């Protein structure tokens, strides 16, 4: 049973009061992008109305206030993920850019031909394509870990995949398709025992689970703001301080420099070395407000709420003839339920649900290799968050049953 006061939470989200196609909106697409509470919208509006200027480069009052707001947001977000020092948190546009930063900076500086990067077959494209760049350009070798029959990460296979050439293990905290929650502390331990670093893709982890990077002992943790009640265009990379301090710049220009001559440049200390150009200041302020909001709810309560709704959705869909769901069962699962209806394309299912005001995602979910493993190149996906009600999940399942029945699906 959820211990969140969802009725009170929903009053903070103006968009949830609207209708779609004549029905109340049931927004079940939070894994793609969550909605924003008034507190985030108000924080960004207050910043623009009273404090906006460029940061780290002005001596006037507004510039100092903007810089203070930006750095306060950094400290807030760092605290939210248990980072020992905010200097190790770099603001990026999103998790994708954060992982690309690691690949382009750490990867190109440290990998040699034949060095190995270990991934799972269930990674989304942002935690696959940047490493394929290094495979193409540097001769790095990508090794892939399969899933168990229960669609969890195969830890025994992961241990077997590690070798003296392994330099990095990179995997997700929570799958955006399966809902599976990886035992990331164990993954990190295996990586370190093999002499490799560990990167955790927290795109779905940071929004839905308690995260403590110090406790996880990982080397990199990447996540996006827009999936955790914050604005688009802001995310973060946390890295172990000594690792980040040894990495070369990712992009050049703006306040990432220390000294520039026509002959060459030296670079600023972390984290500004990795924040070239004018950063997304208002978006950082909004993300700071978002983590305050989540802190107020309690991340353990958020995780229990999501798991409760996922369990409910799975149990209801199990009763619908012709519906196949994906992902493991049990407590190590988040609020994501991908499914297919026999004989129907996922886009048709999503369109039919949208006609009833129910928003789900359809397609490959930026995880095409996983779709091939599952034998389902396209699925529909319902994903839940703090504002999702039990009644919405029941309405969703009934709508899926109606769609299946309308098209004559039989068990």
């Amino acid at each position: 049973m959820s211990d969140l006061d969802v009725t009170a939470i929903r009053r903070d989200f103006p968009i949830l009061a609207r209708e779609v196609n004549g029905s109340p909106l049931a927004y079940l697409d939070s894994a793609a992008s969550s909605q924003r509470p008034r507190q985030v919208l108000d924080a960004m509006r207050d910043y623009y109305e009273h404090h906006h200027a460029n940061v780290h480069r002005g001596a006037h009052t507004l510039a100092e206030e903007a810089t203070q707001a930006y750095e306060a947001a950094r400290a807030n977000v760092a605290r939210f993920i248990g980072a020992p020092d905010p200097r190790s948190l770099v603001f990026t546009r999103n998790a994708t850019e954060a992982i690309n930063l690691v690949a382009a900076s750490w990867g190109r500086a440290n990998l040699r031909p034949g060095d190995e990067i270990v991934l799972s077959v269930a990674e989304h494209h942002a935690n696959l394509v940047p490493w394929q760049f290094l495979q193409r350009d540097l001769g790095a070798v990508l090794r892939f870990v399969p899933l168990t029959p229960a669609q969890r990460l195969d830890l025994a296979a992961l241990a077997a995949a590690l070798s003296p050439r392994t330099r990095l293990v990179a995997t997700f905290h929570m799958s955006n398709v399966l809902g599976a929650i990886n035992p990331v502390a164990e993954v990190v331990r295996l990586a370190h025992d093999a002499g490799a670093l560990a990167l955790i893709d927290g795109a779905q982890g940071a929004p839905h689970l308690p995260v403590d990077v110090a406790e996880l002992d990982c080397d990199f943790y990447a996540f996006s703001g827009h999936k955790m009640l914050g604005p688009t265009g802001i995310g973060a990379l946390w890295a172990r301080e000594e690792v980040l301090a040894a990495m070369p710049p990712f992009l050049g220009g703006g306040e990432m420099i220390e000294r520039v001559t026509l002959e060459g440049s030296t670079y600023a200390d972390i984290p500004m070395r990795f924040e070239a150009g004018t950063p997304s200041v208002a978006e950082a302020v909004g993300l700071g407000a978002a983590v305050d909001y989540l802190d107020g709810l309690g991340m353990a309560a958020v995780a229990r709420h999501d798991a409760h709704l996922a369990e409910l959705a799975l149990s209801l869909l199990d009763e619908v003839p012709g519906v196949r769901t994906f992902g493991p069962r049990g407590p190590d699962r988040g609020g994501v339920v991908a499914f297919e209806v026999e004989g129907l394309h996922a886009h048709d299912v999503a369109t039919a649900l949208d006609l009833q005001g129910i928003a789900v995602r359809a397609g490959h979910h930026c995880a095409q290799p996983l779709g091939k493993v599952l034998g389902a190149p396209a699925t529909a996906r319902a994903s839940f968050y703090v504002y999702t009600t039990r009644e919405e999940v029941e309405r969703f399942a009934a709508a899926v049953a109606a769609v299946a029945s309308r098209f004559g699906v039989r068990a």
Side-chain angles (χ1 to χ4, degrees):
M1 180 64 72
S2 172
D3 45 7
L4 295 182
D5 185 349
V6 181
T7 300
I9 290 171
R10 289 177 67 86
R11 287 196 286 267
D12 292 331
F13 292 80
I15 197 169
L16 299 180
R18 67 163 292 180
E19 292 187 345
V20 171
N21 294 321
S23 297
L25 169 65
Y27 186 77
L28 305 183
D29 194 22
S30 292
S33 194
S34 65
Q35 299 298 344
R36 289 100 183 96
R38 294 182 190 278
Q39 291 82 346
V40 169
L41 304 175
D42 289 347
M44 295 178 70
R45 184 181 303 110
D46 177 72
Y47 168 77
Y48 274 127
E49 290 183 349
H50 302 290
H51 309 293
H52 173 65
N54 215 324
V55 296
H56 297 140
R57 63 196 75 189
H60 57 80
T61 298
L62 289 187
E64 291 178 356
E65 290 178 357
T67 300
Q68 188 175 47
Y70 184 69
E71 293 303 329
R74 189 195 309 277
N76 216 14
V77 175
R79 177 197 45 74
F80 181 74
I81 60 166
D85 189 334
R87 294 173 65 250
S88 297
L89 188 127
V90 178
F91 280 127
T92 61
R93 286 187 300 157
N94 41 50
T96 299
E97 184 174 280
I99 296 172
N100 273 271
L101 192 166
V102 177
S105 175
W106 176 86
R108 290 182 184 278
N110 290 280
L111 296 184
R112 300 292 178 267
D115 283 347
E116 297 173 355
I117 300 170
V118 175
L119 310 163
S120 84
V121 297
E123 306 304 324
H124 72 155
H125 299 161
N127 195 30
L128 172 59
V129 178
W131 313 118
Q132 291 177 335
F133 289 167
L134 299 186
Q135 182 181 45
R136 178 195 65 194
D137 298 341
L138 301 179
V141 175
L142 305 188
R143 297 174 66 90
F144 294 97
V145 177
L147 302 176
T148 68
Q151 300 180 348
R152 294 185 175 91
L153 180 68
D154 189 333
L155 282 176
L158 170 62
L162 300 174
S163 82
R165 296 301 304 268
T166 305
R167 302 299 307 278
L168 181 73
V169 176
T171 193
F172 59 88
H173 198 167
M174 184 179 113
S175 168
N176 69 323
V177 178
L178 303 172
I181 298 171
N182 269 342
V184 287
E186 179 64 7
V187 170
V188 172
R189 186 189 68 77
L190 290 170
H192 287 175
D193 286 350
L197 301 186
L199 180 147
I200 306 302
D201 170 6
Q204 300 296 334
H208 298 279
L209 304 169
V211 175
D212 188 319
V213 293
E215 190 172 287
L216 292 177
D217 198 31
C218 57
D219 301 286
F220 303 102
Y221 196 95
F223 55 101
S224 294
H226 71 100
K227 297 180 190 293
M228 50 192 292
L229 310 183
T232 55
I234 189 73
L237 170 71
W238 174 85
R240 190 183 300 279
E241 182 173 350
E242 61 271 26
V243 175
L244 189 65
M247 288 164 49
F250 173 48
L251 299 171
E255 293 298 305
M256 54 73 68
I257 56 89
E258 179 184 59
R259 178 177 172 79
V260 177
T261 68
L262 292 179
E263 290 73 32
S265 305
T266 58
Y267 310 116
D269 197 358
I270 60 171
M272 291 177 60
R273 185 189 310 164
F274 300 102
E275 296 181 359
T278 298
S280 300
V281 183
E283 287 75 12
V285 169
L287 179 56
V291 301
D292 278 346
Y293 190 91
L294 289 169
D295 263 341
L297 301 179
M299 289 307 295
V302 171
R304 286 193 296 271
H305 175 75
D306 291 346
H308 165 70
L309 294 181
E311 182 181 7
L312 173 64
L314 289 166
S315 67
L316 292 173
L317 291 179
D318 282 346
E319 302 300 318
V320 182
V323 170
R324 175 191 180 200
T325 59
F326 299 89
R329 302 297 176 100
D332 55 343
R333 196 188 205 294
V336 171
V337 176
F339 65 99
E340 62 179 9
V341 180
E342 182 184 347
L344 298 181
H345 193 281
H347 287 171
D348 294 331
V349 174
T351 299
L353 297 181
D354 183 61
L355 291 173
Q356 301 179 59
I358 301 169
V360 300
R361 182 170 174 176
H364 53 63
H365 314 303
C366 299
Q368 288 181 308
L370 176 58
K372 188 174 181 180
V373 169
L374 299 174
T379 60
R381 182 189 69 188
S383 53
F384 317 126
Y385 210 6
V386 297
Y387 38 70
T388 308
T389 66
R390 179 184 179 91
E391 290 73 22
E392 285 180 320
V393 175
E394 292 170 342
R395 181 179 151 207
F396 151 74
V400 172
V403 170
S405 175
R406 187 185 317 153
F407 288 92
V409 176
R410 296 288 184 268

PDB file of all heavy atoms in Angstrom, residues 248-264:
ATOM      1  N   PRO A 248      40.248  15.291 -18.969  1.00  0.00           N
ATOM      2  CA  PRO A 248      40.401  16.510 -19.772  1.00  0.00           C
ATOM      3  C   PRO A 248      39.042  17.122 -20.098  1.00  0.00           C
ATOM      4  O   PRO A 248      38.014  16.458 -19.950  1.00  0.00           O
ATOM      5  CB  PRO A 248      41.102  16.005 -21.034  1.00  0.00           C
ATOM      6  CG  PRO A 248      40.679  14.577 -21.149  1.00  0.00           C
ATOM      7  CD  PRO A 248      40.533  14.067 -19.745  1.00  0.00           C
ATOM      8  N   PRO A 249      39.012  18.387 -20.546  1.00  0.00           N
ATOM      9  CA  PRO A 249      37.725  19.036 -20.857  1.00  0.00           C
ATOM     10  C   PRO A 249      36.961  18.286 -21.940  1.00  0.00           C
ATOM     11  O   PRO A 249      37.542  17.598 -22.776  1.00  0.00           O
ATOM     12  CB  PRO A 249      38.132  20.431 -21.337  1.00  0.00           C
ATOM     13  CG  PRO A 249      39.507  20.631 -20.816  1.00  0.00           C
ATOM     14  CD  PRO A 249      40.143  19.280 -20.754  1.00  0.00           C
ATOM     15  N   PHE A 250      35.652  18.470 -21.903  1.00  0.00           N
ATOM     16  CA  PHE A 250      34.741  17.852 -22.875  1.00  0.00           C
ATOM     17  C   PHE A 250      34.478  18.829 -24.025  1.00  0.00           C
ATOM     18  O   PHE A 250      34.573  18.491 -25.195  1.00  0.00           O
ATOM     19  CB  PHE A 250      33.459  17.473 -22.138  1.00  0.00           C
ATOM     20  CG  PHE A 250      32.332  16.976 -22.999  1.00  0.00           C
ATOM     21  CD1 PHE A 250      32.547  16.003 -23.959  1.00  0.00           C
ATOM     22  CD2 PHE A 250      31.052  17.457 -22.813  1.00  0.00           C
ATOM     23  CE1 PHE A 250      31.509  15.519 -24.742  1.00  0.00           C
ATOM     24  CE2 PHE A 250      29.998  16.976 -23.574  1.00  0.00           C
ATOM     25  CZ  PHE A 250      30.228  16.015 -24.539  1.00  0.00           C
ATOM     26  N   LEU A 251      34.174  20.081 -23.687  1.00  0.00           N
ATOM     27  CA  LEU A 251      33.925  21.148 -24.647  1.00  0.00           C
ATOM     28  C   LEU A 251      34.768  22.357 -24.247  1.00  0.00           C
ATOM     29  O   LEU A 251      35.118  22.514 -23.077  1.00  0.00           O
ATOM     30  CB  LEU A 251      32.438  21.536 -24.664  1.00  0.00           C
ATOM     31  CG  LEU A 251      31.448  20.441 -25.046  1.00  0.00           C
ATOM     32  CD1 LEU A 251      30.018  20.918 -24.787  1.00  0.00           C
ATOM     33  CD2 LEU A 251      31.623  20.055 -26.519  1.00  0.00           C
ATOM     34  N   GLY A 252      35.078  23.227 -25.209  1.00  0.00           N
ATOM     35  CA  GLY A 252      35.914  24.384 -24.920  1.00  0.00           C
ATOM     36  C   GLY A 252      35.171  25.697 -25.071  1.00  0.00           C
ATOM     37  O   GLY A 252      34.294  25.835 -25.932  1.00  0.00           O
ATOM     38  N   GLY A 253      35.500  26.678 -24.225  1.00  0.00           N
ATOM     39  CA  GLY A 253      34.907  28.008 -24.329  1.00  0.00           C
ATOM     40  C   GLY A 253      34.212  28.427 -23.051  1.00  0.00           C
ATOM     41  O   GLY A 253      33.938  27.607 -22.172  1.00  0.00           O
ATOM     42  N   GLY A 254      33.945  29.724 -22.916  1.00  0.00           N
ATOM     43  CA  GLY A 254      33.263  30.218 -21.728  1.00  0.00           C
ATOM     44  C   GLY A 254      34.148  30.138 -20.507  1.00  0.00           C
ATOM     45  O   GLY A 254      35.373  30.281 -20.561  1.00  0.00           O
ATOM     46  N   GLU A 255      33.528  29.841 -19.381  1.00  0.00           N
ATOM     47  CA  GLU A 255      34.234  29.897 -18.105  1.00  0.00           C
ATOM     48  C   GLU A 255      34.905  28.574 -17.735  1.00  0.00           C
ATOM     49  O   GLU A 255      35.247  28.356 -16.580  1.00  0.00           O
ATOM     50  CB  GLU A 255      33.250  30.306 -17.000  1.00  0.00           C
ATOM     51  CG  GLU A 255      32.736  31.718 -17.135  1.00  0.00           C
ATOM     52  CD  GLU A 255      33.851  32.759 -17.049  1.00  0.00           C
ATOM     53  OE1 GLU A 255      34.580  32.739 -16.053  1.00  0.00           O
ATOM     54  OE2 GLU A 255      33.978  33.564 -17.979  1.00  0.00           O
ATOM     55  N   MET A 256      35.103  27.698 -18.716  1.00  0.00           N
ATOM     56  CA  MET A 256      35.827  26.449 -18.415  1.00  0.00           C
ATOM     57  C   MET A 256      37.338  26.653 -18.463  1.00  0.00           C
ATOM     58  O   MET A 256      38.105  25.722 -18.252  1.00  0.00           O
ATOM     59  CB  MET A 256      35.412  25.313 -19.359  1.00  0.00           C
ATOM     60  CG  MET A 256      35.516  25.572 -20.854  1.00  0.00           C
ATOM     61  SD  MET A 256      37.180  25.593 -21.526  1.00  0.00           S
ATOM     62  CE  MET A 256      37.645  23.889 -21.355  1.00  0.00           C
ATOM     63  N   ILE A 257      37.779  27.894 -18.733  1.00  0.00           N
ATOM     64  CA  ILE A 257      39.213  28.149 -18.885  1.00  0.00           C
ATOM     65  C   ILE A 257      39.822  28.724 -17.610  1.00  0.00           C
ATOM     66  O   ILE A 257      39.131  29.259 -16.747  1.00  0.00           O
ATOM     67  CB  ILE A 257      39.476  29.123 -20.048  1.00  0.00           C
ATOM     68  CG1 ILE A 257      38.705  30.435 -19.849  1.00  0.00           C
ATOM     69  CG2 ILE A 257      39.111  28.456 -21.342  1.00  0.00           C
ATOM     70  CD1 ILE A 257      39.381  31.495 -19.099  1.00  0.00           C
ATOM     71  N   GLU A 258      41.141  28.588 -17.509  1.00  0.00           N
ATOM     72  CA  GLU A 258      41.913  29.278 -16.482  1.00  0.00           C
ATOM     73  C   GLU A 258      42.658  30.435 -17.126  1.00  0.00           C
ATOM     74  O   GLU A 258      42.568  31.572 -16.690  1.00  0.00           O
ATOM     75  CB  GLU A 258      42.895  28.300 -15.834  1.00  0.00           C
ATOM     76  CG  GLU A 258      43.772  28.911 -14.763  1.00  0.00           C
ATOM     77  CD  GLU A 258      44.780  27.894 -14.261  1.00  0.00           C
ATOM     78  OE1 GLU A 258      45.587  27.380 -15.062  1.00  0.00           O
ATOM     79  OE2 GLU A 258      44.756  27.590 -13.056  1.00  0.00           O
ATOM     80  N   ARG A 259      43.380  30.174 -18.207  1.00  0.00           N
ATOM     81  CA  ARG A 259      44.135  31.190 -18.920  1.00  0.00           C
ATOM     82  C   ARG A 259      44.175  30.804 -20.403  1.00  0.00           C
ATOM     83  O   ARG A 259      44.388  29.639 -20.738  1.00  0.00           O
ATOM     84  CB  ARG A 259      45.549  31.284 -18.354  1.00  0.00           C
ATOM     85  CG  ARG A 259      46.460  32.286 -19.062  1.00  0.00           C
ATOM     86  CD  ARG A 259      47.820  32.348 -18.384  1.00  0.00           C
ATOM     87  NE  ARG A 259      48.776  33.154 -19.141  1.00  0.00           N
ATOM     88  CZ  ARG A 259      48.810  34.474 -19.119  1.00  0.00           C
ATOM     89  NH1 ARG A 259      47.943  35.135 -18.375  1.00  0.00           N
ATOM     90  NH2 ARG A 259      49.693  35.143 -19.838  1.00  0.00           N
ATOM     91  N   VAL A 260      44.001  31.803 -21.263  1.00  0.00           N
ATOM     92  CA  VAL A 260      44.000  31.560 -22.697  1.00  0.00           C
ATOM     93  C   VAL A 260      44.979  32.506 -23.375  1.00  0.00           C
ATOM     94  O   VAL A 260      44.969  33.719 -23.118  1.00  0.00           O
ATOM     95  CB  VAL A 260      42.586  31.759 -23.300  1.00  0.00           C
ATOM     96  CG1 VAL A 260      42.626  31.578 -24.815  1.00  0.00           C
ATOM     97  CG2 VAL A 260      41.599  30.783 -22.685  1.00  0.00           C
ATOM     98  N   THR A 261      45.843  31.995 -24.202  1.00  0.00           N
ATOM     99  CA  THR A 261      46.681  32.798 -25.088  1.00  0.00           C
ATOM    100  C   THR A 261      46.435  32.307 -26.502  1.00  0.00           C
ATOM    101  O   THR A 261      45.741  31.293 -26.713  1.00  0.00           O
ATOM    102  CB  THR A 261      48.179  32.631 -24.739  1.00  0.00           C
ATOM    103  OG1 THR A 261      48.590  31.290 -25.062  1.00  0.00           O
ATOM    104  CG2 THR A 261      48.429  32.903 -23.256  1.00  0.00           C
ATOM    105  N   LEU A 262      47.004  32.974 -27.459  1.00  0.00           N
ATOM    106  CA  LEU A 262      46.853  32.518 -28.842  1.00  0.00           C
ATOM    107  C   LEU A 262      47.560  31.188 -29.061  1.00  0.00           C
ATOM    108  O   LEU A 262      47.256  30.459 -30.003  1.00  0.00           O
ATOM    109  CB  LEU A 262      47.403  33.581 -29.811  1.00  0.00           C
ATOM    110  CG  LEU A 262      46.595  34.882 -29.858  1.00  0.00           C
ATOM    111  CD1 LEU A 262      47.246  35.862 -30.827  1.00  0.00           C
ATOM    112  CD2 LEU A 262      45.147  34.620 -30.278  1.00  0.00           C
ATOM    113  N   GLU A 263      48.471  30.891 -28.194  1.00  0.00           N
ATOM    114  CA  GLU A 263      49.244  29.657 -28.367  1.00  0.00           C
ATOM    115  C   GLU A 263      48.603  28.453 -27.669  1.00  0.00           C
ATOM    116  O   GLU A 263      48.925  27.299 -28.006  1.00  0.00           O
ATOM    117  CB  GLU A 263      50.672  29.849 -27.819  1.00  0.00           C
ATOM    118  CG  GLU A 263      51.538  30.782 -28.644  1.00  0.00           C
ATOM    119  CD  GLU A 263      51.129  32.238 -28.488  1.00  0.00           C
ATOM    120  OE1 GLU A 263      50.663  32.619 -27.381  1.00  0.00           O
ATOM    121  OE2 GLU A 263      51.231  32.994 -29.455  1.00  0.00           O
ATOM    122  N   GLY A 264      47.740  28.681 -26.702  1.00  0.00           N
ATOM    123  CA  GLY A 264      47.148  27.562 -25.988  1.00  0.00           C
ATOM    124  C   GLY A 264      46.373  28.020 -24.771  1.00  0.00           C
ATOM    125  O   GLY A 264      46.274  29.219 -24.485  1.00  0.00           O
TER     126      GLY A 264
END
